[in-house]
Amino acid sequence: MARLADGWLPYPPTAATYVQEREFVSSTAEQAAPPRAVTPALYATLCLDEDPEIAHRRLRTSVESYYNAPLEFITALQAVFAGTPRQAAARLSGYVEAGARHVVIRLSTDDHADGLEELAERVLPLVRAKDQ
């Protein structure tokens, strides 16, 4: 039978929860016949702004519109963050330290192209530097 995937794409709200879930997934994969390697990943929603209050308001509007649910409900379930690029890098670094090797980011922004540039130029270098 062909493998459809070898990854794991969770979105736990904290790096500590990520560690617990990763340990469970790893132990389950080891019990499979034959054992399978699992690439640990992360799915997170970010809203970046130099003013964390503005980022939080934009994130609230975006998430509540998308899910039709209060932000507090979603943040209890998912990796969601609003703040400065430096703060976002620190948050993502916690997941990398917890074992995430692939990261999928959903940006909460009005201008996706600008958001991707900001992520690439101001967040990812800090995460990579910390991972060295």
Side-chain angles (χ1 to χ4, degrees), residues 3 6 21-39:
R3 285 189 184 167
D6 70 348
E21 292 177 1
R22 182 171 171 247
E23 288 172 358
F24 175 78
V25 168
S26 294
S27 68
T28 303
E30 289 171 7
Q31 295 171 14
R36 294 179 53 185
V38 175
T39 304

Side-chain angles (χ1 to χ4, degrees), residues 48 107-121 123:
L48 305 173
L107 293 170
S108 178
T109 182
D110 293 330
D111 187 328
H112 200 72
D114 283 349
L116 284 173
E117 282 186 35
E118 183 174 32
L119 179 71
E121 293 173 5
V123 178

Side-chain angles (χ1 to χ4, degrees), residues 47-58 82-85 87:
C47 186
L48 305 173
D49 197 285
E50 285 303 324
D51 184 333
E53 289 181 26
I54 291 172
H56 187 76
R57 283 195 304 270
R58 285 190 8 237
T84 69
Q87 291 169 329

Side-chain angles (χ1 to χ4, degrees), residues 45-115:
T45 300
L46 300 179
C47 186
L48 305 173
D49 197 285
E50 285 303 324
D51 184 333
E53 289 181 26
I54 291 172
H56 187 76
R57 283 195 304 270
R58 285 190 8 237
L59 178 69
R60 178 178 294 282
T61 299
S62 173
V63 166
E64 290 182 353
S65 173
Y66 186 84
Y67 289 106
N68 195 29
L71 178 63
E72 293 75 17
F73 177 75
I74 302 304
T75 59
L77 302 172
Q78 293 186 15
V80 176
F81 177 77
T84 69
R86 185 168 294 285
Q87 291 169 329
R91 185 65 151 295
L92 291 174
S93 291
Y95 288 95
V96 172
E97 290 169 9
R101 293 298 167 253
H102 294 280
V103 179
V104 177
I105 301 294
R106 176 176 64 177
L107 293 170
S108 178
T109 182
D110 293 330
D111 187 328
H112 200 72
D114 283 349

